[in-house]
Amino acid sequence: VRIGVLISGGGSNLQALIDNVENGYINGEIVMVISDKKGVYGIERARKHGINAVEIDKKEFEDRNAFMKAIINELERHKVELVVLAGFLSILSQDVIERYRNRIMNTHPSLIPAFCGKGYYGYRVHKAVLEYGAKVSGATVHFVDEGTDTGPIILQEAVKVEDDDTPETLAARILSVEHKLLPQAVKLYCEGKLMVEGRKVVIKTMN
Ligand code: GRF
């Protein structure tokens, strides 16, 4: 499966995908990486591994449609079959979601539907968990639909919130779970084991 990864920052989730393709865990190929911001470390990670990486800086586009068209062009140029949002902070437009229905995966550092949506980017999600006094948070990998963090859930794993947690310590523990969960979801996709039935994702266990 030809995989395209979209990032906006450090790209530690991208690195987890690269490592798991290279060690054979994921039966797929990362054919390109797009960053919507210039000069992020994730681009360097890709280039270090010989992966085609392109910066499509959304600030350089007069409107969102032009920005989205540029992204679609790149995805189609590289014949991407599965799009993975790994720390990608732009909202995808309707036509991208249509074209890649149930072929766009996102990782979100909370147990959706808790603490998800527009207001929960970056550390804000972990600050909100701590302020709320939640005892458990976690990581979610889901397919992307029209909403923000609302698509069919593929995998989730809970992470206990400790009394002395700060947004940083909680973020770090959840991030290490994402580094396992996202490659697992991509692996299942590449093996054709993910069946989307309405809102639910059924994982085929039998071959
Ligand atoms: C991750 O928790 C991701 O879910 C969120 O940003 C964090 C950093 O991602 N969107 P990465 O290190 O850039 O992959």
Side-chain angles (χ1 to χ4, degrees), residues 9-14 86-89 107-109 121 126 175 178-179:
S12 69
N13 281 293
L14 165 65
F88 186 67
L89 300 180
T107 173
H108 180 77
Y121 278 117
H126 307 298
L175 192 54
E178 288 182 272
H179 292 166

Side-chain angles (χ1 to χ4, degrees), residues 42-181:
I43 288 288
E44 277 180 57
R45 292 181 191 270
R47 288 180 178 154
K48 243 187 252 168
H49 288 264
I51 298 169
N52 192 303
V54 59
E55 295 163 322
I56 302 183
D57 188 339
K58 64 178 166 187
K59 291 199 302 295
E60 291 174 4
F61 290 85
E62 60 281 358
D63 65 36
R64 206 167 88 97
N65 279 348
F67 169 57
M68 283 293 142
K69 282 219 174 337
I71 288 187
I72 291 177
N73 285 346
E74 277 302 314
L75 293 174
E76 296 192 339
R77 202 154 69 82
H78 290 83
K79 299 185 179 52
V80 165
E81 295 166 292
L82 173 67
V83 180
V84 181
L85 310 185
F88 186 67
L89 300 180
S90 297
I91 306 285
L92 295 178
S93 62
Q94 178 62 27
D95 67 327
V96 178
I97 288 159
E98 277 306 319
R99 277 167 200 258
Y100 292 93
R101 176 73 56 189
N102 294 330
R103 295 192 296 140
I104 306 175
M105 271 187 202
N106 181 48
T107 173
H108 180 77
S110 80
L111 291 180
I112 289 174
F115 301 103
C116 69
K118 286 194 176 41
Y120 292 114
Y121 278 117
Y123 279 132
R124 279 192 287 280
V125 58
H126 307 298
K127 278 203 188 89
V129 166
L130 296 174
E131 273 153 25
Y132 198 97
K135 297 298 181 190
V136 169
S137 189
T140 302
V141 181
H142 62 96
F143 283 119
V144 172
D145 67 5
E146 289 67 18
T148 305
D149 305 325
T150 57
I153 291 172
I154 301 168
L155 293 173
Q156 290 188 300
E157 183 169 319
V159 170
K160 193 173 169 307
V161 179
E162 307 296 350
D163 295 342
D164 58 354
D165 259 328
T166 65
E168 289 71 18
T169 57
L170 179 58
R173 257 198 333 280
I174 292 176
L175 192 54
S176 59
V177 168
E178 288 182 272
H179 292 166
K180 186 189 63 175
L181 224 54

Side-chain angles (χ1 to χ4, degrees), residues 6-19:
L6 275 51
I7 61 169
S8 298
S12 69
N13 281 293
L14 165 65
Q15 189 64 55
L17 292 173
I18 291 171
D19 297 345

